Amino acid sequence: MKTCPLFGKCGGCKYDFTSPDYREKKLATLRGVPTTDDAIWVAPGTRRRADFCFAPNAFGFFQAQSKNIVPITNCPNLSEKINKILPQMAALPWSCAGACLITECENGIDIAITSDVPYFTNEFRMAANELPAIRITWNDKVIKQTATPQIKFGDKTVDYPSGAFLQPSIVGADTLRELVKKHTHNYSRVADLFCGLGNFTFATNATGFDIVGTGVTRNLFTHPLTVGMLNQYDCVIMDPPRAGANAQCRELIRSNIKRIVYISCNPNTFKSDAEILSRGGYELKTLIPVDQFCGSAHWEIFSVFEK
């Protein structure tokens, strides 16, 4: 395949990841970024989750810069199991508008539907119950559940809360986890901030902190770990949402933390946070771009700071 059949029609990708010059074009977006290692590439066809949209009698991805919905029954960027269920998703009796997150879990497909309309029709419920999914929710109300969806991080299995954050592919999650392990193995006291479900927490025997997930319930945007709390550790892992970790970085520069392993999915907030850390005495030692979001203009940035 030299051209994605959906490229230029749906707005899911900025670059055609099936094109021979895809990597060249994607790498061009890194000009000026102080990378220390070659980029890591995650293969297309491995995405285990995708956000779809729907409207009456329509299901798919939004057209670029439009509210028009491009029908999707197969996407070469998605996993085989997600693609297998898409024709049945498209055939559902959609009667209103909203979003639909489909996640391939370890033990089956999870479907989380959100809409401004708080109810679904009996016809929709009956059709949804025929889907080969282990859980289907509508605005967190369970339509169908035959098992608790689960996710594996290496050899650790955890329950998957509906709509919770996950790295978009297993290979991407594994790659980042191995990088984190490599750069934290010399430290015995590790804190995993914004830990989510624990992709890094279990592998590094870290203490997890987050609003939700496996760690200590804490809103790190409004209540970052204080200097006194941070000084119990000698290494910190951070994988914040796109909003970054501004408040936490301002506490970190006052602490005795020796190493910060920072994973970012937003170059803009990463740059801002990196400036805070640099002014506070930390030096950027490692920066590795990971093509975690194949086809998009986004990079996952793996970095290590030391002081």
Side-chain angles (χ1 to χ4, degrees):
M1 183 187 296
K2 293 186 178 180
T3 303
C4 172
L6 299 171
F7 186 70
K9 299 176 183 178
C10 85
C13 292
K14 182 176 177 62
Y15 301 105
D16 184 355
F17 55 84
T18 65
S19 173
D21 63 353
Y22 167 66
R23 291 189 178 186
E24 179 184 350
K25 289 182 176 179
K26 189 77 182 267
L27 284 170
T29 66
L30 289 174
R31 287 177 185 150
V33 178
T35 58
T36 60
D37 296 69
D38 291 338
I40 295 174
W41 303 92
V42 175
T46 59
R47 284 196 67 124
R48 62 175 168 181
R49 60 182 352 215
D51 275 302
F52 296 87
C53 53
F54 62 88
N57 302 312
F59 176 88
F61 291 142
F62 282 125
Q63 188 178 14
Q65 300 179 331
S66 170
K67 290 296 184 181
N68 295 328
I69 296 177
V70 178
I72 303 292
T73 54
N74 186 281
C75 169
N77 209 4
L78 301 180
S79 72
E80 181 181 348
K81 290 183 179 179
I82 292 182
N83 274 322
K84 190 174 180 179
I85 201 173
L86 291 185
Q88 293 164 277
M89 296 296 299
L92 288 174
W94 302 103
S95 59
C96 59
C100 178
L101 173 64
I102 302 179
T103 303
E104 179 188 337
C105 298
E106 189 70 21
N107 54 339
I109 294 291
D110 182 67
I111 300 171
I113 302 166
T114 54
S115 174
D116 290 337
V117 178
Y119 55 84
F120 46 85
T121 65
N122 189 52
E123 179 188 13
F124 185 89
R125 177 198 289 275
M126 293 174 62
N129 269 290
E130 296 300 316
L131 292 173
I134 59 174
R135 183 175 63 190
I136 305 172
T137 58
W138 184 291
N139 292 341
D140 294 326
K141 182 177 181 179
V142 176
I143 298 178
K144 171 187 177 179
Q145 183 163 356
T146 58
T148 299
Q150 295 182 320
I151 296 294
K152 287 189 73 173
F153 301 121
D155 59 359
K156 182 69 175 180
T157 301
V158 301
D159 291 345
Y160 171 66
S162 178
F165 170 77
L166 278 180
Q167 300 291 350
S169 69
I170 293 175
V171 65
D174 291 350
T175 298
L176 291 171
R177 186 170 62 253
E178 290 304 312
L179 284 171
V180 169
K181 287 168 60 179
K182 175 182 176 181
H183 289 273
T184 59
H185 77 277
N186 287 331
Y187 297 89
S188 58
R189 301 179 300 159
V190 181
D192 184 8
L193 311 186
F194 309 94
C195 68
L197 299 179
N199 186 32
F200 310 131
T201 318
F202 303 113
T204 58
N205 195 30
T207 304
F209 295 90
D210 204 351
I211 299 173
V212 294
T214 59
V216 178
T217 302
R218 188 178 183 91
N219 187 329
L220 296 173
F221 293 108
T222 59
H223 295 84
L225 264 63
T226 62
V227 173
M229 299 174 72
L230 289 168
N231 285 343
Q232 300 176 54
Y233 306 96
D234 47 24
C235 179
V236 158
I237 304 164
M238 290 199 301
D239 185 12
R242 292 187 63 78
N246 185 285
Q248 189 61 76
C249 286
R250 295 184 185 281
E251 291 292 322
L252 279 165
I253 60 176
R254 300 168 52 228
S255 76
N256 297 327
I257 294 292
K258 299 173 184 177
R259 173 172 286 193
I260 299 170
V261 176
Y262 189 169
I263 300 96
S264 172
C265 61
N266 186 338
N268 292 327
T269 54
F270 173 79
K271 181 180 178 181
S272 175
D273 289 346
E275 287 176 353
I276 294 173
L277 296 176
S278 296
R279 290 198 303 268
Y282 285 94
E283 183 179 354
L284 178 63
K285 295 290 188 178
T286 300
L287 193 151
I288 305 172
V290 181
D291 189 24
Q292 171 85 305
F293 309 97
C294 182
S296 76
H298 303 298
W299 288 92
E300 191 91 23
I301 297 172
F302 177 88
S303 63
V304 178
F305 293 84
E306 288 183 354
K307 74 173 179 180

